[in-house]
Amino acid sequence: MNSTILTLIVALPIAGAALLMLMPRRDETLKWMALAISLIGFLLSLYLPFHFVSAQAGFQFEVDSSWITSPNIHYHLGIDGISLWLVILTTFLLPLSVLISWNSIHGPVKEFFVLLLLQEAAMLGVFMSLDLFLFYVFWEATLIPMALIIGVYGHERRVYAAVKFFLYTMIASVFMLASIIWLYAKTGSFDFVTIQQALLSGNLQHIGNAALWLFLGFFIAFAVKVPLFPFHTWLPDAHVEAPTAGSVLLAGVLLKMGTYGMLRFNLGLLPEQAHVHAYWINGLAIIGIIYGALVALVQPNMKKLIAYSSVSHLGFCVLGIFSFTQAGIDGSVYQMLNHGISTGALFMLAGILYDRRHTYDIAQYGGLATPMPNYAMLFMIMTLSSIGLPLMNGFIGEFLVLSGAFQAKVIYGVLATSGVIWSAFYMLSLYQRTFYGEVTHETNRRLPDISGRERLAIWPLAVMAIIMGVASPFWTHDIDPAVTRVRETANLQAQASTAKPTSEADTAGGK
C-alpha cells in the first residue's frame, strides 16, 4: 500500500472526472457523485499522516518507475513532512468546495465538477512530484482547469481575469522550464534527489554565473504564483471574478505551490544563491505584507479585500523561508496551511452573501448580525483566525515566522509585525461595516441565515482553525524534522560550493 497510495490519491480525481463525463446530465446526481469522489479522496489521503514516520530521513511512500527512456524521465512521486500536510489540505478543501458550489453554478454543471476534480489532481501532483519534468507537467496542468473555472463560471469580467491569470503564470513558468532543462543537460536526469546529490557532491559546483540564472528561473515562476509583490496584480482580478469554489482552491492551495516551490527548489537546490539574494527577497516580502494590508484596508469590495489580505499573508510565508531559521521555515509551512483554512473559509462566507444579494460591495450591507446571527458568528471565528488571535491557527504561524524574522534581522521582524496590526484593522473594519449597526437596506432584513449545507461547508474549517491553534504540535511534529533536513542539506551544499574553489586556490598557490 505504501508504494501505491500516492498514485491512488492522484488517480482517483482523474478517474472520477472521467466517470462524470460519461454520466447523463442530471445535475443532482452529478453533484452527489462529485461529492462522493472528493470525500473518498480525502479519506484515502488520511492514510498518509497515520503511516508517516517523522524520524525517517528522505521521502516516503515513494514510487519510481521509468516513464520515458529518452530523455530520462521517471514517474517519481514521494512526500516528506513539508508536502504531507499540503496534500491533506488539498483533499480536505475539495469536498467543501463541492458543497459550497451546490446551488451557485450557472452554466454546465457536469463540466464544472470535472474541472474541480482535474484541478485537484494537478495540484496534488505538484506536491508529490520528485521528477522535475513531471513536476512541470503537473504545474502547467493546474493552469487549464482554473482558467476555465474563472473564464466560464466567473462574473462580469471573467474572461479578462482568466486570460490575465493564464498569461502571467504561464509566461513565468517558462523561466522555470529553462532552469529544469539546464539541470538535465548537466546531470542527465530530471530526478530531484539525483540533482540534489550532484550539487551536494560538488559535481556541479563550477556552474559559475549559471547559478544566478537557475535561481532566478525558479524564483520568478514561484514569485508570480505566490504572488509576491510586485508580481501580484493578476490575483485580485482572478479572485473577484472567480466563482466561490475557484477562489477557495486558488487561495487555499494554488498560491501555496509558489511558496512550496521556493522552499523545495530555491532553498533545497540552490541555497548559496538563496542566501546571497535573501536581502531583497525579504524586502519584497515585507513590502507585500504592508502593501497588501494597506490596500485591503481601503477596499470597498469584500472579495477584493480578502484577495489583498492573501498578498499580505503569503508575504509572511516568503519571509519565513528566507529567514533560514528553524522557527521561520516551520512557521512558513504552518502558515501555508493556516491561510488555506482561514482564507478559504472567508471566500466561502463572501460567496454565501453573493448568492443572496449578488454583490460584494461592503456598502450594500450593514447590520447583518440581526437577520443572520449564525452566519455572523462563523464570520467572526474566521476573522479572528485570519488576524492571528492567540489560540487560533493564524497566531501560531505568524508567531513562528516573526520569531525567525527577528533571529535573521531585527528590522525584518519589526516591519513584518506591523502587518499583523494592519490585518486587525482591515478585518475588524470589514466585520464592523458588514454586521454591526442598523440594517441599512430593507432587502437585508429578509436575508436567510446560513443553511445546513452551507454550515457543512464552513464548520469543518472553523473547527480546524481552533484545533490548529491549540494543538499545533500534531502538525509541527511532522513538519519540523523535514525542515531540519532541508536546512542541513542546504548547509552541506553551501559548504560543498566553497570547499573545492578553496582547495584549487591552495593548489595554485603551491605551484
Side-chain angles (χ1 to χ4, degrees), residues 6-20 34 37-38 40-42 44 90-91 94 113-125 128:
L6 296 185
T7 299
L8 289 174
I9 293 171
V10 172
L12 178 66
I14 298 174
L19 178 61
L20 288 184
I37 293 167
S38 60
I40 293 170
F42 173 61
L44 193 61
T90 306
T91 60
L94 220 289
F113 289 111
V114 166
L115 290 171
L116 277 189
L117 291 171
L118 292 177
Q119 183 70 33
E120 179 190 24
M123 294 186 300
L124 289 169
M128 296 178 182

Side-chain angles (χ1 to χ4, degrees), residues 18-53:
L19 178 61
L20 288 184
M21 287 300 294
L22 297 174
M23 292 177 63
R25 289 184 179 275
R26 298 189 182 97
D27 288 358
E28 286 300 312
T29 304
L30 289 166
K31 293 172 186 176
W32 282 108
M33 183 60 69
L35 180 61
I37 293 167
S38 60
L39 282 172
I40 293 170
F42 173 61
L43 294 174
L44 193 61
S45 69
L46 292 180
Y47 177 91
L48 301 177
F50 287 106
H51 293 82
F52 187 83
V53 182

Side-chain angles (χ1 to χ4, degrees), residues 113-448:
F113 289 111
V114 166
L115 290 171
L116 277 189
L117 291 171
L118 292 177
Q119 183 70 33
E120 179 190 24
M123 294 186 300
L124 289 169
V126 168
F127 297 130
M128 296 178 182
S129 296
L130 294 178
D131 182 280
L132 269 64
F133 183 88
L134 184 64
F135 173 85
Y136 185 78
V137 169
F138 279 122
W139 179 276
E140 292 293 86
T142 63
L143 301 184
I144 300 170
M146 184 55 69
L148 291 173
I149 288 171
I150 297 171
V152 177
Y153 301 93
H155 305 305
E156 291 80 7
R157 300 174 72 239
R158 58 186 179 273
V159 174
Y160 166 78
V163 171
K164 190 174 183 180
F165 159 76
F166 190 88
L167 288 178
Y168 263 67
T169 48
M170 184 191 69
I171 293 171
S173 299
V174 172
F175 294 98
M176 176 171 66
L177 178 61
S179 295
I180 291 172
I181 292 173
W182 192 96
L183 288 170
Y184 175 78
K186 293 295 183 180
T187 63
S189 174
F190 287 108
D191 187 80
F192 175 83
V193 178
T194 300
I195 293 171
Q196 191 177 52
Q197 289 174 347
L199 290 164
L200 181 60
S201 66
N203 293 337
L204 292 180
Q205 61 185 273
H206 287 305
I207 56 179
N209 291 332
L212 169 62
W213 299 110
L214 288 172
F215 179 86
L216 291 177
F218 283 114
F219 180 78
I220 290 171
F222 301 143
V224 170
K225 187 72 78 177
V226 170
L228 184 66
F229 177 91
F231 307 105
H232 67 284
T233 55
W234 63 268
L235 181 68
D237 292 315
H239 270 313
V240 169
E241 302 305 326
T244 300
S247 290
V248 171
L249 294 181
L250 185 62
V253 183
L254 208 70
L255 306 187
K256 312 309 180 303
M257 289 164 43
T259 47
Y260 169 79
M262 288 181 183
L263 180 54
R264 180 72 75 208
F265 296 96
N266 285 111
L267 190 58
L269 293 181
L270 299 157
E272 187 179 14
Q273 289 294 316
H275 279 277
V276 169
H277 300 287
Y279 73 96
W280 61 263
I281 295 174
N282 283 328
L284 292 179
I286 291 168
I287 292 172
I289 290 170
I290 299 172
Y291 167 84
L294 292 177
V295 175
L297 186 62
V298 298
Q299 288 303 313
N301 183 296
M302 181 182 296
K303 210 175 185 188
K304 189 170 283 190
L305 183 153
I306 301 169
Y308 275 106
S309 78
S310 292
V311 176
S312 182
H313 287 144
L314 270 295
F316 280 101
C317 295
V318 176
L319 179 62
I321 291 169
F322 287 91
S323 72
F324 304 105
T325 62
Q326 187 75 30
I329 301 176
D330 281 352
S332 175
V333 178
Y334 204 70
Q335 188 66 2
M336 294 181 209
L337 306 177
N338 294 336
H339 182 264
I341 297 294
S342 59
T343 306
L346 287 172
F347 276 121
M348 287 187 186
L349 291 163
I352 289 171
L353 272 188
Y354 185 86
D355 290 341
R356 287 156 171 72
R357 285 292 318 276
H358 302 290
T359 179
Y360 290 116
D361 186 1
I362 300 171
Q364 293 297 313
Y365 301 105
L368 292 188
T370 300
M372 305 176 71
N374 294 314
Y375 175 85
M377 177 187 64
L378 281 169
F379 206 111
M380 174 55 78
I381 292 173
M382 300 320 303
T383 295
L384 297 177
S385 166
S386 181
I387 65 178
L389 183 77
L391 299 183
M392 300 293 284
N393 59 338
F395 174 77
I396 306 297
E398 290 179 351
F399 178 82
L400 289 172
V401 168
L402 291 173
S403 297
F406 273 105
Q407 292 174 42
K409 192 170 287 189
V410 173
I411 189 63
Y412 292 165
V414 171
L415 293 173
T417 301
S418 68
V420 179
I421 300 169
W422 287 116
S423 70
F425 272 99
Y426 63 73
M427 287 305 303
L428 293 177
S429 172
L430 168 65
Y431 193 86
Q432 186 271 331
R433 288 181 287 167
T434 306
F435 295 99
Y436 290 159
E438 296 293 326
V439 177
T440 53
H441 293 79
E442 285 302 313
T443 306
N444 294 339
R445 295 185 187 276
R446 300 184 296 276
L447 291 181

